[in-house]
Amino acid sequence: QVSQWGLDPLFFSHPKLAIRELVGGEDVWVPAPEGNGAVHLYRGRPVRRCEMMGCVVSLNPKPGKTVFTLDDGTGCVECVVWMGMDETGTAGGGGTDGTVGADAFGVDPDGLRVGALVRIQGRMTMYRAKWQLAVNALQCCKDPNEEILFWV
């Protein structure tokens, strides 16, 4: 029931999600019937955000955003980092409209590169009939063992 979604502990957390749960044939991650696209059902429970970890396999920086593809070994998903714009129209710190810049979550933009191991949190959305993760937090991992610890 929609009025009780906030009572579920997963609703305000970031459950760990394997990409195959999105792109596979299973109905593990589906839009909630009354959620306006912002709420999804993960194994039957309402959630708004998720967390993933994997390697960056493609990187496409554009003005105001950076689009990259994340591969966790089970599949690939497109991710977008929206950069906040300052008064001069250039990418800067966090914006007042909810967008985040690279400085807002402490990521060196040069750290995001092809082959980098990253841990991301954000909202899953449908864009052009494909799943896309709108990134709220991004952490570049230096130790490859962090991926193993992520799934423990």
Side-chain angles (χ1 to χ4, degrees):
Q1 191 174 18
V2 175
S3 63
Q4 297 179 350
W5 279 352
L7 298 175
D8 192 305
L10 281 184
F11 190 71
F12 294 106
S13 67
H14 294 86
K16 295 176 181 177
L17 188 66
I19 296 173
R20 79 164 178 273
E21 294 175 313
L22 285 174
V23 298
E26 320 163 16
D27 288 334
V28 176
W29 184 273
V30 294
E34 302 163 357
N36 291 335
V39 178
H40 295 83
L41 296 177
Y42 177 58
R43 301 190 183 275
R45 299 177 67 184
V47 294
R48 297 189 316 171
R49 298 173 279 244
C50 67
E51 181 174 10
M52 295 181 188
M53 185 174 217
C55 291
V56 177
V57 293
S58 73
L59 186 63
N60 187 9
K62 297 180 178 180
K65 67 180 178 179
T66 298
V67 180
F68 63 95
T69 303
L70 186 75
D71 182 0
D72 71 351
T74 66
C76 295
V77 69
E78 187 175 85
C79 305
V80 61
V81 178
W82 293 97
M83 300 297 183
M85 305 301 258
D86 61 12
E87 300 81 28
T88 63
T90 59
T96 57
D97 59 351
T99 59
V100 294
D103 298 338
F105 45 78
V107 173
D108 178 14
D110 297 330
L112 187 62
R113 64 188 191 297
V114 173
L117 179 64
V118 295
R119 181 178 192 163
I120 55 177
Q121 294 179 340
R123 288 179 303 107
M124 290 306 304
T125 58
M126 287 296 277
Y127 179 70
R128 296 186 178 173
K130 290 172 52 178
W131 286 109
Q132 183 182 64
L133 186 103
V135 177
N136 293 336
L138 184 142
Q139 176 186 11
C140 292
C141 303
K142 305 215 182 307
D143 184 4
N145 291 323
E146 288 184 48
E147 188 171 14
I148 297 166
L149 293 173
F150 178 78
W151 290 111
V152 173

